[in-house]
Amino acid sequence: MTNRLQNQCFEKGIIGSAGTCVAHCYVFKKRIEVERRSITEEQIPEEIQRLDFAIKKTADDIQNFRKRAEERHGEKYAAIFDSHLLMLEDPHFRPKLVSRIEKDRINVESAVRERIDEIHKGFAAITDPYLRERAIDIKDVGDRLLRHLLGLDEPADKIDGKPYVLVAQEVTPSELLDFARGELRGICLDTGGATSHVAILADALGIPSVFGLNDFSEKVNTDDVLIIDTRKSPKIIVNPKSEVISAFEESIEKDNNNLKKSEITADGIELHIGANVARVEEIPVLQKLGVKHIGLFRSEFVFMESLDSPSEKYQTEVYSELVKAVSGTVVLRTLDIGSDKPLKYLPLNDENNPAMGFRSIRFSLSRPDVLEPQLRAMIKAAQYGNCRILFPMVSIPNEL
């Protein structure tokens, strides 16, 4: 255990998601140690059987994490776990592990550790930052396999019910969702960046996160108090003095109060101010601002952020969450895409004047398989409040 820092401020790192929090931290040490053992030829079938059991249990875990992510945050975030399943289902993954067990005569844990480390090293050497950060997804699958092989508990099982900040060298997407079952308030990681899957999930969870902190996890201890402020730049204060905490909490309250503007003009006229919204993750901002109406929800972003056409069930969940979030009117706009805003899975031909071409209502009318599920989802959401539907770019009465 390191000596406890006192009132020390760190202003470095990369902001993964914006926000503020103050809470005790939990330092997660995650490297799973594996003992390399030689095995006899007679033991090989048993080791392969253990491997198959771990692969099946890991696939079940990933499916459960995917379902949880979809239910809580939508298809965009659930799709993060598709790459994990693809790795397990890769036609070369299991055979190479089996070959290593048979040729090297080693226990299955060692075969998994060595193979995962090789793949991780290859990804970590890639110059493209987006692809390089996929290395953590490789470790996620490997760690989950090893936990099943070694009979280890989930990392979040050690967390009590109090609010906390997670500090670690790195965490995987599934580990983050596991930690998020508790009162997770913020994340500080030695590695990673703003385009990582963990950063995307942290943003969906609505908690501040800072990445690229180098050896920060070695400088703090579990139960240290941390202030995190990523509103403008990364700022972390370790074990702040009580007066610093008080001043921080007062500044947050003041900022929140300043955000809420009156809808009454100086001459006494009441206005109905609404906000244009593209993602449900913006709801906390509306609540901080005291916004009572959503003047326009751009539903095309639900489609643009999905790998395939979003289901009626998923759309219903998104639209319902929006309608429930405000006390006033919500205007849901049907899909507004064109050749200037195409979808990968719904390609459109290039046009010289896409604003007046085959787009929006004209596209939707040509694709009842897209329009009808969307309308049903919007109508179902309308039961939760004052909801209106807007059809974009209508040019003639016949289009209605």
Side-chain angles (χ1 to χ4, degrees), residues 194-215:
T195 61
S196 69
H197 283 159
V198 172
I200 294 170
L201 286 173
D203 186 53
L205 293 167
I207 56 176
S209 61
V210 185
F211 301 93
L213 289 167
N214 298 322
D215 58 350

Side-chain angles (χ1 to χ4, degrees), residues 2 28 30 56 84 91 172 190 201 209 216 229 236 238 242 254 272 277 288 341 348 352 360 375-376 399:
T2 60
F28 173 41
K30 71 164 291 176
K56 182 182 183 304
H84 296 201
T172 65
D190 295 345
L201 286 173
S209 61
F216 183 74
D229 188 348
I236 305 167
V238 182
S242 57
K254 182 179 179 181
H272 296 289
V277 177
K288 285 183 179 180
K341 275 197 298 185
L348 296 171
N352 292 329
S360 307
L375 288 177
R376 285 195 297 267
E399 291 175 342

Side-chain angles (χ1 to χ4, degrees), residues 44 67 129-130 140 150 158 181 228 245 249 317 344:
I44 290 175
K67 182 179 179 182
Y130 178 82
D140 196 352
L150 296 169
K158 300 178 182 179
R181 290 188 301 172
I228 303 178
I245 295 176
E249 291 176 339
E317 292 172 354
K344 291 181 180 179

